[in-house]
Amino acid sequence: KQEVTQIPAALSVPEGENLVLNCSFTDSAIYNLQWFRQDPGKGLTSLLLIQSSQREQTSGRLNASLDKSSGRSTLYIAASQPGDSATYLCAVKHTNAGKSTFGDGTTLTVKP
Amino acid sequence: EAQVTQNPRYLITVTGKKLTVTCSQNMNHEYMSWYRQDPGLGLRQIYYSMNVEVTDKGDVPEGYKVSRKEKRNFPLILESPSPNQTSLYFCASSPGSAGYEQYFGPGTRLTVT
């Protein structure tokens, strides 16, 4: 059974710092991995999607990498801002493409 | 505007009273899915649908039913809700089942007393 773990569970950094969020998964048979952002009481906003054949994806200050063989993905946030404060979730899409498994998330606080 | 909508957004009900949470998308997506989010347990998949009339169980299907009679709609039915189904529910859709981003609705907060 696929298990997805995100470390750390919570992270607090000063504004301007570069940071890395981690996501690991136990079964490397995945179609893709998607990173989301969730603000308190809100829905999920898609940040980046990495296909299983890709190594990384970039969008603005965000860069996500994928190492399928080791079962790991990282989300790099450059020059963090208070507006980046949210919970960040990763999700893997199984090769049984209907199923997705989510991590529990990392709650990020960026202090001004 | 391309979106996934859910109704109602908030619902308080009593044990055993059947309810339906609707989900609709206007993006002509083939794939739709329901999740529940609980503190300490994260997001867990309830059911998914690869296309019209094709549905399958996720990780926590017990106590739920779904149907997919039209491409745009994927209602979640709780025939006899129980307090352990109190949760935040999300509907999601994507153009296909593999290789695509999932787009999420705003969520439905359900309380069963």
Side-chain angles (χ1 to χ4, degrees), chain A residues 12-49:
Chain A
S12 181
V13 301
E15 182 176 4
E17 194 159 297
N18 302 326
L19 58 101
V20 174
L21 307 180
N22 297 292
C23 172
S24 61
F25 48 95
T26 55
D27 186 348
S28 62
I30 64 170
Y31 259 120
N32 57 48
L33 185 144
Q34 192 169 357
W35 282 94
F36 295 88
R37 168 190 173 128
Q38 185 176 28
D39 293 288
K42 305 284 189 181
L44 280 69
T45 301
S46 178
L47 298 174
L48 289 164
L49 174 72

Side-chain angles (χ1 to χ4, degrees), chain B residues 48-84:
Chain B
Y48 62 92
S49 171
M50 304 278 235
N51 213 326
V52 175
E53 302 292 3
V54 181
T55 63
D56 210 342
K57 297 176 181 178
D59 291 324
V60 288
E62 297 78 19
Y64 304 95
K65 285 177 60 175
V66 293
S67 68
R68 187 94 181 272
K69 293 185 171 58
E70 315 166 87
K71 203 172 196 179
R72 63 182 293 129
N73 296 322
F74 190 43
L76 180 70
I77 303 158
L78 286 72
E79 298 237 327
S80 184
S82 63
N84 65 13

Side-chain angles (χ1 to χ4, degrees), chain A residues 31-32 34 36 38 42-44 46 49 51 89 93 96-102 104, chain B residues 31 35 37 41-43 45 48 50 57 59 90 97-102 104-106:
Chain A
Y31 259 120
N32 57 48
Q34 192 169 357
F36 295 88
Q38 185 176 28
K42 305 284 189 181
L44 280 69
S46 178
L49 174 72
Q51 304 294 351
L89 297 155
K93 181 64 79 74
N96 165 4
K99 286 201 162 189
S100 291
T101 301
F102 280 75
D104 288 344
Chain B
Y31 176 89
Y35 299 88
Q37 186 175 35
L41 296 174
L43 267 147
Q45 193 173 32
Y48 62 92
M50 304 278 235
K57 297 176 181 178
D59 291 324
F90 289 103
S97 58
Y100 299 95
E101 286 182 271
Q102 289 193 72
F104 277 72

Side-chain angles (χ1 to χ4, degrees), chain A residues 38-98:
Chain A
Q38 185 176 28
D39 293 288
K42 305 284 189 181
L44 280 69
T45 301
S46 178
L47 298 174
L48 289 164
L49 174 72
I50 313 178
Q51 304 294 351
S52 62
S53 58
Q54 296 175 317
R55 296 287 295 189
E56 65 179 73
Q57 282 283 350
T58 298
S59 175
R61 293 183 294 109
L62 306 179
N63 176 279
S65 69
L66 175 65
D67 183 343
K68 203 174 73 161
S69 61
S70 68
R72 284 193 283 188
S73 176
T74 61
L75 180 66
Y76 174 83
I77 303 176
S80 58
Q81 304 169 357
D84 294 331
S85 297
T87 296
Y88 291 80
L89 297 155
C90 66
V92 298
K93 181 64 79 74
H94 301 202
T95 48
N96 165 4

Side-chain angles (χ1 to χ4, degrees), chain B:
Chain B
E1 180 191 352
Q3 59 184 345
V4 180
T5 57
Q6 295 179 227
N7 283 291
R9 295 287 315 280
Y10 303 91
L11 179 61
I12 301 173
T13 190
V14 296
T15 299
K17 185 176 181 182
K18 181 179 179 179
L19 67 92
T20 299
V21 184
T22 65
C23 173
S24 183
Q25 49 90 8
N26 62 1
M27 297 170 279
N28 201 37
H29 284 175
E30 289 188 351
Y31 176 89
M32 297 184 76
S33 183
W34 276 103
Y35 299 88
R36 61 179 289 176
Q37 186 175 35
D38 303 286
L41 296 174
L43 267 147
R44 294 175 293 167
Q45 193 173 32
I46 304 171
Y47 269 96
Y48 62 92
S49 171
M50 304 278 235
N51 213 326
V52 175
E53 302 292 3
V54 181
T55 63
D56 210 342
K57 297 176 181 178
D59 291 324
V60 288
E62 297 78 19
Y64 304 95
K65 285 177 60 175
V66 293
S67 68
R68 187 94 181 272
K69 293 185 171 58
E70 315 166 87
K71 203 172 196 179
R72 63 182 293 129
N73 296 322
F74 190 43
L76 180 70
I77 303 158
L78 286 72
E79 298 237 327
S80 184
S82 63
N84 65 13
Q85 293 178 297
T86 292
S87 188
L88 179 58
Y89 291 86
F90 289 103
C91 179
S93 74
S94 65
S97 58
Y100 299 95
E101 286 182 271
Q102 289 193 72
Y103 297 89
F104 277 72
T108 294
R109 187 166 292 282
L110 172 65
T111 301
V112 184
T113 61

